[in-house]
Amino acid sequence: MKRILITGALGQIGSELTMKCREIYGEDQVIATDIRQPKDEKLSNGPFEILDVMDGNKFLEYVKKYRVDSILHLAALLSATAENHPLKAWKLNMDGLLNALETSRLVKAQFFTPSSIGAFGPSTPKNNTPQVTLQRPTTMYGINKVAGELLSDYYFYKYGVDTRGLRFPGLISYLTPPGGGTTDYAIEIYEEALKNGRYTCYLAKGTSLDMMYMPDALAAILDLMEAESSKLKHRNSYNVTAMSVTPGDFAKEIQKHLPHFVMDYNVDPVRQRIADSWPNSIDAAAAKSEWGFKPAYDLENMTIDMLEKLTKQNSYF
Ligand code: SER
């Protein structure tokens, strides 16, 4: 990767990935794009363009203008929003992806897009879910993700586009909040614990889901993109995870630092149904052996870092 264009650059992954890429590849080498203008000085240290990923002509125009060789396509609706607006999700998640893939094909750019644990469904083996397994998701988001994995593979086999992807678990970060995801509780819980000493969780106490801290997610994207092409057998997309945890586990871990923290539950049926259709824990063996995936954070050291960074950022006390 030398000259990178990122879509959805103001989102949860995009905002941090843009900064990280600018640190590594140079500020002018990373073109951040999103459907809206940044509010503050965010991402102002390098090029920024307004780009609606549904507009294939504009997409190609910017990629040509900046002579981009790598596209990191992040613009998408997350699972809970997609479930509430399925047609909108199909259009944005699929047409946006097709435009991104077509643009990559036309300019021969390397390509990345995230898949998700949402690409699995109730008939997938729940524990230690293998890299290659049954994928019959029952959510619109999951259907988009499976179709996206297949399309990305198609562009590789048919056109030789260097497509790569990761099946992300819930991603935890303190800088930019996600929105409309089923795993968003895992961020809200830290913020609310510090702000109010309590949190009402919309998933049931024992709901196991895979999670990963944002620094590990960013490293995984960059390591995958820089991996030698001949080593990649699975491409779209690799299972990656750092921990399998429940809301109850988060509460216990936070109580080690904030003993008065209280958690209660008010289950949201839409998000609970989505979470119940996803695996409890996925197996990242292929990512480990093919390109050296190795997360640094578990629940314990992530919790220490989250509480420290959020406290610094917000001065709650
Ligand atoms: N964090 C995502 C979501 O909850 C999972 O891909 O939608």
Side-chain angles (χ1 to χ4, degrees):
M1 294 200 291
K2 290 201 174 70
R3 244 175 134 72
I4 303 164
L5 182 134
I6 300 179
T7 70
L10 296 178
Q12 187 199 9
I13 305 176
S15 54
E16 294 200 41
L17 185 61
T18 302
M19 292 190 286
K20 183 97 196 156
C21 285
R22 284 182 176 166
E23 252 169 65
I24 298 174
Y25 299 96
E27 289 174 354
D28 294 336
Q29 308 300 315
V30 183
I31 296 85
T33 72
D34 207 296
I35 195 164
R36 62 195 159 86
Q37 200 71 41
K39 274 204 195 95
D40 33 43
E41 292 296 279
K42 214 172 188 180
L43 306 185
S44 61
N45 64 340
F48 182 92
E49 298 280 2
I50 298 282
L51 174 62
D52 178 350
V53 294
M54 308 281 276
D55 185 346
N57 294 330
K58 260 260 151 0
F59 209 138
L60 187 59
E61 186 189 312
Y62 286 141
V63 163
K64 282 187 172 160
K65 174 178 166 189
Y66 289 100
R67 298 186 314 281
V68 163
D69 67 20
S70 308
I71 294 175
L72 309 180
H73 176 57
L74 306 175
L77 292 187
L78 286 182
S79 57
T81 309
E83 213 41 31
N84 289 326
H85 305 281
L87 294 186
K88 193 174 161 196
W90 177 266
K91 277 207 103 31
L92 176 68
N93 292 354
M94 300 320 301
D95 289 354
L97 175 64
L98 257 184
N99 285 336
L101 282 166
E102 265 301 281
T103 307
S104 295
R105 178 179 75 81
L106 291 168
V107 302
K108 297 188 172 47
Q110 205 191 4
F111 182 83
F112 171 84
T113 200
S115 184
S116 160
I117 50 171
F120 300 117
S123 52
T124 303
K126 277 241 169 265
N127 297 312
N128 221 20
T129 305
Q131 173 66 37
V132 179
T133 187
L134 199 53
Q135 289 182 268
R136 303 282 295 174
T138 48
T139 62
M140 177 50 86
Y141 181 70
I143 293 166
N144 297 163
K145 289 301 183 190
V146 174
E149 291 185 5
L150 294 173
L151 267 176
S152 299
D153 271 345
Y154 181 76
Y155 270 73
F156 173 66
Y157 291 122
K158 188 168 171 86
Y159 302 117
V161 180
D162 185 359
T163 55
R164 307 179 182 201
L166 297 170
R167 288 184 190 132
F168 275 138
L171 296 181
I172 294 157
S173 62
Y174 55 88
L175 278 178
T176 309
T182 300
T183 55
D184 295 5
Y185 88 84
I187 296 161
E188 293 166 10
I189 190 174
Y190 287 105
E191 287 171 348
E192 294 301 313
L194 286 166
K195 238 193 280 171
N196 302 317
R198 57 182 312 127
Y199 178 60
T200 302
C201 186
Y202 57 77
L203 292 185
K205 189 175 179 184
T207 313
S208 282
L209 289 171
D210 283 287
M211 302 278 170
M212 186 149 99
Y213 199 28
M214 187 59 84
D216 283 332
L218 301 180
I221 295 173
L222 298 177
D223 289 349
L224 173 65
M225 292 308 277
E226 295 295 355
E228 208 183 286
S229 182
S230 61
K231 287 192 181 153
L232 306 178
K233 294 196 196 80
H234 292 92
R235 284 185 175 272
N236 303 292
S237 294
Y238 286 94
N239 285 5
V240 284
T241 180
M243 60 197 99
S244 159
V245 276
T246 65
D249 295 331
F250 276 106
K252 244 197 235 154
E253 197 58 37
I254 290 172
Q255 277 157 354
K256 287 186 192 165
H257 306 273
L258 304 168
H260 302 297
F261 173 59
V262 178
M263 171 104 143
D264 55 14
Y265 298 86
N266 182 14
V267 169
D268 165 21
V270 174
R271 285 178 285 187
Q272 186 65 48
R273 192 182 66 79
I274 297 173
D276 288 343
S277 78
W278 292 353
N280 295 333
S281 63
I282 62 172
D283 175 22
K288 288 178 184 163
S289 69
E290 290 177 33
W291 49 273
F293 170 65
K294 198 171 183 289
Y297 287 90
D298 56 15
L299 181 59
E300 212 177 321
N301 56 4
M302 176 182 76
T303 297
I304 293 172
D305 203 63
M306 274 297 278
L307 293 175
E308 201 181 290
K309 296 279 167 46
L310 281 173
T311 305
K312 248 192 228 154
Q313 189 171 281
N314 296 302
S315 51
Y316 292 110
F317 305 110

